[in-house]
Amino acid sequence: MEHLETLDSVFNFVFGLDGSLFYTVLNDKLRAFKVFGHRIGRPQSERACIFTEENEEFFVDITRTKDKRFHIINSSALDSSEAYIFDSKHKFWSASADQKQSNASIPLTLVRPRQKGVEYFVDHHNGEFAILTNSPRAESADKKQTASPLPFRLVRAPKLNPSSENWTELLSVADDERIEDVEIFKDHIMITIKRKGHPAVLIYDKNKRAFSELPLPYGGFCTVRPDSNPQLDTSSVRLRFSSPVHLDSVAKYDMRTMRQTQSWASTPLHIDPSQYSIRRVDVRNGNTDVPLTLVCQKSNMRSKGMPTLLRVYGAYGVSLEPEFRLEDIPLLLRGWTIALAHVRGGSELGREWYFGGKGKNKINSVHDLLACARFLLDREWTTCKRLAISGVSAGGLVVGAALNMSPEYFRAATLHVPFVDPLSAMLDPKLPLTSVEVAEWGDPVAIQSDFEAIRQYAPYDNTHLLQNAKHVPSVLVTAGGQDKRVSVWQPAKWVARMRDSGRFDPNTHSSLQTDSRSGSRLLFYPKMNEGHFHANSRQGDSNDEDGFISAHAFRNAFLIDEVE
């Protein structure tokens, strides 16, 4: 393979036509804020600035429509977005190849001005734009007005004038449903949605002007994601499926007949999926029903007091999916139940479900989790001596808050890179992502009610609640020294304050050894060479000491030692 050239400081990129390339760069706060155009074969110093985003809450990326007709500059915050379009055939460089230029005069077409709470995503389909958006149907002249949590819908817009005044609706969903992805083809559009927390795949036939629904495997208790579908002019689509007891599999469907034509599947070693039950129950929390997914051996369905791991996330509108997790297989084989609490803050039940667990409503995520724990205990599915809880990142915040409020429910807890000091993080504008995170957590600097709301649930600010608890669980906390999302000092200072509470055995702060143990353990396991996610194995390191397997093996050893 021939090496053409090397470009420095590239964050994301997409190729243009006629030997061009477009890419984004980061600023000192790790925010993508500029788009540059580069002509392949020319010095990088001759790059041209296409777009600059000054607002610190917005990230920029550059994409291309599937038919390669247009490039799209997306400027997005956590709850808002704005898109500019330009023709992929446009030559941004000057007429003279030797003339340097720092700015390009590419004509950018703004699709819709940004509005807080409104997001939209653009592709091109048969001479018109297909747009996924949660914008209000009745447009307000004041685009600064905050939009209510409306569900996403699919609209189309004319190529020559794609502004929102010219949008016509193609598909809408109910308030408790969510459109998750849209894939464009020449004669079809594939739409994946969540319907009452379960996945569904719709196919729109442009010629018939009608929708059909694909049949899904595993009784619908699965995750569905589009596989690589780069070809535009085709009637075939590939989808990727998994479930808690099924490895990722790929199936090809004919969108004209809605039939499966090919599949590639494999079964996890030592597991017979037919011997496991996956079911969804609703847990009552006040006036709200919280979905809870339960995975266990069928032979244990009528048993009581089974060891149980309750997992939670509930932030950024990210759904906690019933997907295959390698680390859960050893627990399932030992007779454990894996429970997934689909608390508010995710998007399992649509846009309102997300808004019900963000900002001032974040405490709802914690109460939903505790309701799920009480359900498992009251139904005698497990006992407080056999119930463990686990959360990652923002899910660790929910776990930490739950431990402060009701520590007696749990025997053990694991928190991986947990966001346990949100108040200090959101009060410090110098941290890389603070300005971006305001949309999710609130602005405690400028708004007193946001300050009080965060302080109400922040794990670090509420450890005093442990003083009067009858019992506290053993806790395992991990952190990454190179983590740019959750700085290592967050879990470190939380662990220090938890130790100062005097509720944990001081002889077991750094070991799984239990010979001298007289109480609950609090283990802190920082890895200074890791980031927010598990580090990959070093090349040639067959022991995988710093990787995914060893990290989860350590977690499972801790859980098994505590719960069994």
Side-chain angles (χ1 to χ4, degrees):
M1 181 179 295
E2 180 183 1
H3 176 262
L4 295 177
E5 56 189 283
T6 300
L7 299 181
D8 297 323
S9 304
V10 174
F11 183 63
N12 89 298
F13 73 93
V14 62
F15 285 104
L17 302 180
D18 300 322
S20 61
L21 180 146
F22 299 91
Y23 64 93
T24 61
V25 297
L26 301 179
N27 65 6
D28 58 355
K29 291 189 176 181
L30 305 179
R31 179 177 70 90
F33 75 116
K34 284 189 176 184
V35 178
F36 286 99
H38 172 72
R39 192 176 184 184
I40 297 174
R42 303 297 298 174
Q44 190 175 5
S45 59
E46 294 183 12
R47 66 183 184 177
C49 184
I50 308 298
F51 180 84
T52 301
E53 176 56 72
E54 302 290 352
N55 191 320
E56 292 187 353
E57 293 187 22
F58 283 74
F59 281 76
V60 171
D61 74 347
I62 177 80
T63 60
R64 187 172 64 182
T65 58
K66 191 170 182 178
D67 62 4
K68 303 180 182 179
R69 294 283 303 277
F70 296 92
H71 279 69
I72 304 169
I73 296 174
N74 301 290
S75 190
S76 305
L78 285 178
D79 64 350
S80 312
S81 66
E82 187 175 67
Y84 293 85
I85 299 170
F86 64 92
D87 195 310
S88 295
K89 294 181 179 179
H90 190 280
K91 295 180 172 60
F92 65 86
W93 53 86
S94 62
S96 172
D98 296 325
Q99 179 182 351
K100 296 181 181 180
Q101 63 183 82
S102 58
N103 292 283
S105 57
I106 287 185
L108 302 178
T109 299
L110 173 62
V111 177
R112 185 189 191 279
R114 67 186 60 174
Q115 178 182 0
K116 187 171 178 57
V118 172
E119 300 174 76
Y120 65 96
F121 310 93
V122 182
D123 207 334
H124 189 253
H125 181 251
N126 286 344
E128 60 185 10
F129 289 106
I131 302 173
L132 178 63
T133 181
N134 68 330
S135 65
R137 289 181 174 85
E139 288 285 5
S140 169
D142 180 12
K143 290 295 191 293
K144 294 182 179 179
Q145 181 180 355
T146 301
S148 58
L150 297 173
F152 279 86
R153 58 197 178 102
L154 184 63
V155 302
R156 49 191 174 191
K159 180 175 66 174
L160 297 180
N161 189 2
S163 61
S164 56
E165 291 78 10
N166 300 312
W167 292 358
T168 57
E169 190 170 284
L170 186 62
L171 173 70
S172 62
V173 295
D175 289 346
D176 61 351
E177 297 178 342
R178 173 182 170 85
I179 299 177
E180 297 204 312
D181 194 80
V182 175
E183 184 89 18
I184 299 294
F185 299 90
K186 182 177 180 294
D187 295 321
H188 300 87
I189 302 177
M190 181 186 70
I191 306 106
T192 57
I193 70 172
K194 274 284 194 303
R195 181 185 294 145
K196 297 182 179 179
H198 295 285
V201 179
L202 306 179
I203 302 296
Y204 177 73
D205 189 312
K206 181 179 180 295
N207 298 319
K208 296 179 181 179
R209 297 178 179 269
F211 286 93
S212 302
E213 186 168 336
L214 287 177
L216 300 183
Y218 316 140
F221 291 102
C222 61
T223 61
V224 181
R225 297 184 178 92
D227 198 40
S228 178
N229 292 289
Q231 189 175 348
L232 182 69
D233 188 6
T234 181
S235 60
S236 296
V237 62
R238 290 161 58 107
L239 293 169
R240 185 172 294 273
F241 302 97
S242 82
S243 86
V245 292
H246 294 88
L247 281 167
D248 275 7
S249 61
V250 176
K252 180 187 287 187
Y253 290 86
D254 187 328
M255 292 183 284
R256 297 167 300 183
T257 64
M258 307 298 290
R259 294 179 179 175
Q260 186 180 126
T261 58
Q262 258 182 312
S263 65
W264 300 264
S266 56
T267 302
L269 291 176
H270 312 303
I271 272 209
D272 178 1
S274 67
Q275 299 303 308
Y276 289 83
S277 166
I278 306 172
R279 59 176 173 153
R280 181 78 56 84
V281 298
D282 286 332
V283 175
R284 198 69 175 167
N285 179 25
N287 296 321
T288 302
D289 287 332
V290 182
L292 178 67
T293 298
L294 300 171
V295 186
C296 68
Q297 294 180 15
K298 288 181 178 178
S299 58
N300 290 337
M301 289 180 62
R302 298 184 182 275
S303 301
K304 296 182 179 181
M306 302 305 298
T308 300
L309 176 62
L310 177 61
R311 185 181 289 112
V312 69
Y313 187 71
Y316 303 105
V318 176
S319 299
L320 185 62
E321 300 285 4
E323 61 191 349
F324 182 82
R325 293 175 181 267
L326 179 63
E327 65 270 26
D328 287 345
I329 298 304
L331 300 181
L332 289 171
L333 288 170
R334 297 176 73 95
W336 283 56
T337 295
I338 305 298
L340 308 179
H342 305 286
V343 303
R344 281 172 283 184
S347 289
E348 287 89 343
L349 299 183
R351 189 76 172 169
E352 289 189 0
W353 194 251
Y354 168 39
F355 273 65
K358 67 173 288 193
K360 292 183 177 65
N361 297 322
K362 188 62 200 174
I363 193 70
N364 289 336
S365 303
V366 186
H367 291 319
D368 288 350
L369 174 63
L370 292 175
C372 291
R374 285 194 299 272
F375 173 87
L376 294 170
L377 297 172
D378 292 345
R379 298 297 179 90
E380 298 183 341
W381 192 276
T382 188
T383 70
C384 59
K385 293 183 179 180
R386 309 201 82 183
L387 177 58
I389 191 171
S390 180
V392 175
S393 190
L397 179 151
V398 181
V399 169
L403 294 181
N404 285 333
M405 294 180 187
S406 299
E408 67 278 3
Y409 287 180
F410 310 105
R411 182 66 192 92
T414 66
L415 299 87
H416 178 59
V417 293
F419 186 49
V420 284
D421 190 13
L423 193 55
S424 294
M426 298 309 298
L427 288 171
D428 187 354
K430 295 181 181 179
L431 293 177
L433 299 178
T434 295
S435 60
V436 178
E437 297 284 344
V438 166
E440 181 72 18
W441 307 102
D443 187 355
V445 174
I447 304 174
Q448 180 67 26
S449 58
D450 285 356
F451 179 94
E452 297 298 338
I454 297 174
R455 187 167 64 175
Q456 182 185 11
Y457 63 77
Y460 179 75
D461 296 286
N462 289 282
T463 55
H464 62 276
L465 298 175
L466 296 175
Q467 294 294 339
N468 298 321
K470 295 181 180 179
H471 162 78
V472 296
S474 292
V475 181
L476 170 64
V477 183
T478 68
Q482 307 303 313
D483 194 338
K484 303 300 183 184
R485 302 190 183 195
V486 178
S487 301
V488 67
W489 54 261
Q490 278 211 36
K493 66 186 288 192
W494 181 64
V495 167
R497 179 167 282 191
M498 293 272 281
R499 287 174 177 169
D500 284 345
S501 71
R503 300 306 308 271
F504 297 91
D505 186 349
N507 297 317
T508 56
H509 285 337
S510 60
S511 172
L512 285 177
Q513 298 298 321
T514 59
D515 294 343
S516 59
R517 176 181 169 190
S518 59
S520 298
R521 292 179 291 178
L522 177 55
L523 307 183
F524 184 44
Y525 193 52
K527 306 209 70 176
M528 301 312 293
N529 64 327
E530 290 191 1
H532 197 65
F533 305 99
H534 294 293
N536 293 325
S537 304
R538 293 186 296 270
Q539 186 173 1
D541 184 358
S542 59
N543 293 322
D544 190 24
E545 293 177 353
D546 298 319
F548 173 91
I549 293 177
S550 60
H552 283 290
F554 185 80
R555 184 208 69 163
N556 282 356
F558 171 80
L559 291 173
I560 291 169
D561 188 59
E562 287 291 337
V563 173
E564 294 188 18

